[in-house]
Amino acid sequence: MTITPDIWEPLEPALSVRQVLTLERVLAGEPEVVAGASHLDRPVRWVHVAEAADVGVMLSGGEMVLTTGVLLAGDEDKQAEYVRSLHRAEAAAVVLGLGRAFPAAPDVMRRAAERCGLPMVVLHRPFPFAELTEEVQSRLVRRKFAAVSLSEAVRTELTALITAGAPLQRLLDEVARHSACPVVVTNLAHRVLGTAGERPAVDDVLRDWERIARQAGGTEGDGWIRAELGGRGERWGRIVLCGYRGDTATGRLLADRAAEALVLHRMLAGGAACSWEEQSAQSLLTDLVSGVVPARQLLPRARAAGLPVNRRTFVPLVVRDGDPARLERLLRLLGLSGLVAELADGATAVLLSLARDQDAGALAAHFATRLRTESGTAHTVVAAAGPRVAWDDVPTGLREAQHVADAVADSSAVLDLPPVVRLKDVHLRGLIRLLRDDPHVQSFAERELDGLLCEADEDLLAVLRTYLATGRNKSRTAQLHHVSRPALYRRLEAIQARLGVDLDDFEQAASVHIALLAHDAQQQ
């Protein structure tokens, strides 16, 4: 095998045998690989010139040994043992300068090197070994210094981000930028807590994550580099560089610096490792609700996050005034699979994953009933549900559940709601909420409620809201506002006088009710 020039990146932190052989000075010696051609990607740690027959005892591994073979000429046993000793010492390669001792590559050495898998190279033209050692050693030193500088630069940048209060995702993005490969953070159960890198490459990794997780947990190879996350004798996760294409030693440095930063990030956050799981679920559910990324493209992320997705259907729920940690505990207590994440405006999304033969309605109702019972504020917790859907329809179902939750958010204390509120339960409220941004609806609401929209009339507006929501039930309204019936009558008379309406008239009361629903929807 004759060596031809190849492209070499000067910033790579190590040299392989193949790269050494493509250096300009080496090419002047007309190198030819005569054995071990399939092992040319071995890293070269050092270059050593040695003529001693027992050179193997002086090596520590990774050396490229240069020799003229002058002490081996005429003794085939010594020649074979010389190659075997280099193999035992884990040398990177042997380079033989042809000349007086060996005018051609000796068959005994060539066959022994091939059997051992040791790259053997012969130089057809006289070549000063000192020039090769000087060239390679200087490059190795520069590259080692570059690797250390890179390590320190990464540590400095990540520390600055942590000091500035950056979230986990920002740190992972920085690690992915330096490593130029997908980066994945998992807990000890291989559940993905965070990812970074170019989206198509990350999706490819997550699509086959079950297999990759087993590989990442075992021996490193083919660019899969991991570092453990933990401290004080306790491990709680790992970071994995997936398919790192640079030198393995540099990859380990990057992974170690990243692990140090993530541990520090967790410590400064009070040790709440579970918050990373919450952030992962929140990112996934937020992307599903927004619809910016098609649900099918998010399926690998859901599977990697630990959500069962094969042969499953899904029930999206949105809970108002629900604590995500409590909802997560309730899911585990009931033996249900799902993701929990806090959305905007005090809403928490719960995506239940159910087997196809499970009763979705009964399970959702049981979950919501237990939630109300355990919350201690049974009448203020609203559990809104979308329909049971396949994965592709989860975004639509989540948006419907969110719409239902928003429609009843301000009236849950006065409405007699079922454990799970669905679209059919919100009636007029749902329609008004959909139309709340219409200028005609806004104008109508202001016109109908004009006499009660100043700040001083908030109490009267609250009484009106309860009175209409309870179906004009005076006893119930008085009870909810903790006032006597005569006091309530006086307030209702004041409301009617301010608005110029008769609330006993169904059409006028309905008009005021619609206006109030529109007003409340516009305030959210």
Side-chain angles (χ1 to χ4, degrees), residues 398-408 423 426 430-431 433-434:
L398 278 169
R399 287 192 290 271
E400 181 175 310
Q402 195 169 28
H403 165 66
V404 172
D406 291 343
V408 298
L423 188 61
V426 298
L431 176 63
R433 181 165 183 81
L434 291 175

Side-chain angles (χ1 to χ4, degrees), residues 398-426:
L398 278 169
R399 287 192 290 271
E400 181 175 310
Q402 195 169 28
H403 165 66
V404 172
D406 291 343
V408 298
D410 290 335
S411 304
S412 57
V414 297
L415 295 177
D416 186 16
L417 298 172
V420 177
V421 185
R422 301 183 183 276
L423 188 61
K424 64 183 180 60
D425 300 314
V426 298

Side-chain angles (χ1 to χ4, degrees), residues 170-479:
R170 182 69 185 85
L171 269 65
L172 295 183
D173 289 340
E174 191 67 17
V175 176
R177 184 177 72 83
H178 282 287
S179 62
C181 70
V183 175
V184 177
V185 173
T186 75
N187 61 15
L188 294 181
H190 303 304
R191 179 174 175 177
V192 174
L193 307 180
T195 63
E198 294 186 5
R199 197 72 256 168
V202 172
D203 288 344
D204 286 343
V205 169
L206 296 184
R207 195 170 290 113
D208 198 20
W209 181 248
E210 186 175 345
R211 178 187 64 80
I212 290 175
R214 291 196 297 269
Q215 175 180 337
T219 304
E220 293 179 353
D222 297 328
W224 301 104
I225 299 174
R226 73 186 188 280
E228 302 298 325
L229 303 177
R232 298 178 180 176
E234 178 187 5
R235 290 190 306 115
W236 41 266
R238 60 175 54 91
I239 182 170
V240 185
L241 307 186
C242 304
Y244 179 71
R245 290 176 292 181
D247 175 69
T248 300
T250 301
R252 289 198 188 101
L253 277 176
L254 285 172
D256 289 343
R257 294 298 84 78
E260 291 173 3
L262 296 185
V263 171
L264 178 60
H265 184 277
R266 181 197 176 198
M267 289 174 57
L268 294 179
C274 62
S275 66
W276 289 6
E277 297 184 2
E278 293 168 5
Q279 290 177 37
S280 174
Q282 183 179 41
S283 174
L284 175 60
L285 291 181
T286 300
D287 285 346
L288 282 168
V289 170
S290 69
V292 174
V293 182
R296 186 164 295 278
Q297 293 184 22
L298 297 173
L299 190 60
R301 284 174 59 189
R303 182 183 291 110
L307 184 71
V309 296
N310 295 334
R311 295 185 294 279
R312 310 284 285 194
T313 57
F314 305 88
V315 176
L317 300 170
V318 172
V319 179
R320 282 286 180 182
D321 302 317
D323 175 31
R326 182 158 53 86
L327 294 174
E328 187 80 47
R329 287 194 299 271
L330 184 57
L331 280 181
R332 291 195 296 268
L333 179 65
L334 299 178
L336 295 174
S337 298
L339 292 179
V340 178
E342 187 173 4
L343 303 178
D345 303 323
T348 301
V350 181
L351 183 61
L352 297 179
S353 173
L354 305 176
R356 293 174 180 174
D357 59 352
Q358 289 183 288
D359 188 333
L363 288 173
H366 183 48
F367 175 80
T369 301
R370 286 291 298 270
L371 178 61
R372 284 190 176 187
T373 302
E374 296 182 7
S375 68
T377 54
H379 296 294
T380 60
V381 175
V382 175
R388 181 173 188 160
V389 293
W391 178 259
D392 286 350
D393 296 320
V394 166
T396 302
L398 278 169
R399 287 192 290 271
E400 181 175 310
Q402 195 169 28
H403 165 66
V404 172
D406 291 343
V408 298
D410 290 335
S411 304
S412 57
V414 297
L415 295 177
D416 186 16
L417 298 172
V420 177
V421 185
R422 301 183 183 276
L423 188 61
K424 64 183 180 60
D425 300 314
V426 298
H427 306 297
L428 182 61
R429 294 176 182 275
L431 176 63
I432 294 300
R433 181 165 183 81
L434 291 175
L435 299 175
R436 63 178 177 171
D437 294 326
D438 188 295
H440 298 292
V441 174
Q442 294 173 354
S443 177
F444 168 77
E446 292 180 7
R447 184 172 63 251
E448 289 289 303
L449 300 175
D450 182 56
L452 288 178
L453 293 182
C454 65
E455 187 174 345
D457 295 321
E458 277 297 321
D459 182 58
L460 292 179
L461 200 63
V463 170
L464 175 63
R465 183 181 293 111
T466 303
Y467 180 63
L468 295 174
T470 58
R472 295 183 293 174
N473 186 321
K474 294 182 176 66
S475 297
R476 178 66 174 152
T477 303
Q479 179 185 12

